[in-house]
Amino acid sequence: MFRLQSSKVLAVDMTGDAVKAKNGSMVAYDGEMAFKKLSGGGEGIRGMVTRRLTGEQMTLMEVKGRGTCWFADRASEINLVSIQGDKLYVESSNLLATDSGLRTGTEFTGLRGASQGNGLFTTTVEGHGQAAIMSDGPAVVLRVSAQYPLTVDPGAYVAHQGNLRQSFQSGVTFRTLLGEGGGEAFQMRFEGDGLVYVQPSERNTIAGDV
């Protein structure tokens, strides 16, 4: 159902089923389609309340019908991820679309730092199906194993999946080593067995200032 028309355009072929996508990301469609804006980004009232408490912005729309719908967002690179009963953790701004076999929600992933105590929350996608995630430049998929834990700059982090433990290390980021960081700096560390998606670009609002 999901296929890449190009590296920056997602084509979704539908035969009466539905897909959830980032609000405003539809660029064209053929056939008969119905569009509905979804409140929150999680499933049901609990997801809506969680998002209001965390302040995370994620507005989705549901597209249902027969035909093909094309999605894109700010010329971002699009990556297809297969989810087979496991859970994908993804930054909400990097999630473009999920098919009808997947559920979205929000999960607490830890504290940013003991000195400030601010929580970090991540969008979750689980079930069986395909998701389309976006990256600023072609995403790189890095394998994490028991022998090789991975440390990632938060500004480059996009998503992860598998049996991974995520933690935060305060004090140093790659930027602060170069004298470019500001605020409380931290890195993201992953241990276990799984995959981490990173982008070859850093968000301006991350790397210690989140």
Side-chain angles (χ1 to χ4, degrees), residues 169-191:
Q169 299 175 327
S170 297
V172 178
T173 68
F174 304 118
R175 281 188 181 180
T176 57
L177 289 174
L178 301 175
E180 298 178 355
E184 183 185 8
F186 68 98
Q187 295 174 332
M188 303 171 70
R189 181 177 173 87
F190 296 93
E191 299 175 273

Side-chain angles (χ1 to χ4, degrees), residues 8-9 21 33 37 63 67 102 105 144 172 175 178 194 205 208:
K8 299 180 180 181
V9 179
M33 299 288 172
K37 184 177 180 180
V63 184
L102 296 174
V144 181
V172 178
R175 281 188 181 180
L178 301 175
T205 57

